[in-house]
Amino acid sequence: MIKSSRIAVIYGGESNERDVSIRSGKNVMGALKRQGYTNLFHWDPKEHELKDLQADAAFIALHGKHGEDGTIQGALELKRIPYTGTGVLGSAIGMNKWLCKQLMTACGLPTAPYQLLTDTVTIQWPVVAKPIAGGSSIGVHFCANDDELEAVKKTLKNPETYFIE
């Protein structure tokens, strides 16, 4: 990339990981400036329409939904703006921990035993309850027994969006 290229550093967004994204994006801006990139600008999809984005390239520093799940990647591809990171399919699969676990198992890769939170099979304690999609450890719960796991289930709007390891 030519150091005078117009580079959008995309951060902020609307996910529950917005604060993490803002910190990441500011760090990316600083690092790129130190590397000699001069034509940088911050672009926040919460504040601007994607149709208005004009850039030679994009550095994605979004976290969570719409940032790591293939959504922004697909939108940038439609606009023919090259971007950092994994493509649409890799991002979508990578953000879905349940699908990743299934793919790893199917490929014979080692992974901790897992099941949907709503499954009614015998559980070996302790377990970690995780959102199927999401990151930054948001929504992760460590449970040592049935009572703790039931307490987690009661706090969830949709237990089907969680799995345990």
Side-chain angles (χ1 to χ4, degrees):
M1 176 66 52
I2 300 169
K3 291 195 176 186
S4 62
S5 296
R6 186 165 161 76
I7 301 172
V9 179
I10 302 175
Y11 63 90
E14 297 186 47
S15 83
N16 61 354
E17 299 178 55
R18 178 177 173 79
D19 292 341
V20 176
S21 175
I22 290 170
R23 285 193 303 274
S24 294
K26 288 179 179 181
N27 286 329
V28 166
M29 293 278 284
L32 288 171
K33 285 178 185 176
R34 286 189 298 279
Q35 293 296 315
Y37 290 91
T38 57
N39 200 358
L40 305 171
F41 65 99
H42 166 224
W43 190 81
D44 187 339
K46 183 177 181 178
E47 299 171 0
H48 305 286
E49 295 286 329
L50 184 65
K51 63 183 173 110
D52 299 330
L53 177 60
Q54 299 294 321
D56 298 317
F59 192 110
I60 301 172
L62 290 170
H63 290 260
K65 188 175 180 180
H66 303 303
E68 295 178 276
D69 62 2
T71 303
I72 192 72
Q73 293 82 356
L76 290 169
E77 286 190 14
L78 288 173
K79 289 189 63 74
R80 300 189 190 283
I81 297 173
Y83 55 88
T84 59
T86 307
V88 177
L89 182 59
S91 295
I93 291 170
M95 189 66 172
N96 185 318
K97 294 182 208 72
W98 179 252
L99 181 57
C100 279
K101 296 289 263 181
Q102 291 176 317
L103 287 171
M104 288 189 301
T105 300
C107 292
L109 297 171
T111 180
Y114 60 97
Q115 64 191 55
L116 284 175
L117 186 57
T118 56
D119 287 348
T120 55
V121 292
T122 305
I123 297 173
Q124 184 176 349
W125 302 103
V127 298
V128 178
K130 298 178 178 182
I132 288 174
S136 299
S137 300
I138 294 173
V140 173
H141 303 274
F142 296 91
C143 304
N145 55 50
D146 279 319
D147 291 339
E148 290 180 9
L149 188 57
E150 284 305 313
V152 168
K153 285 182 182 180
K154 288 179 182 175
T155 67
L156 303 176
K157 292 178 184 171
N158 187 0
E160 293 82 24
T161 62
Y162 270 69
F163 74 104
I164 58 174
E165 291 181 310

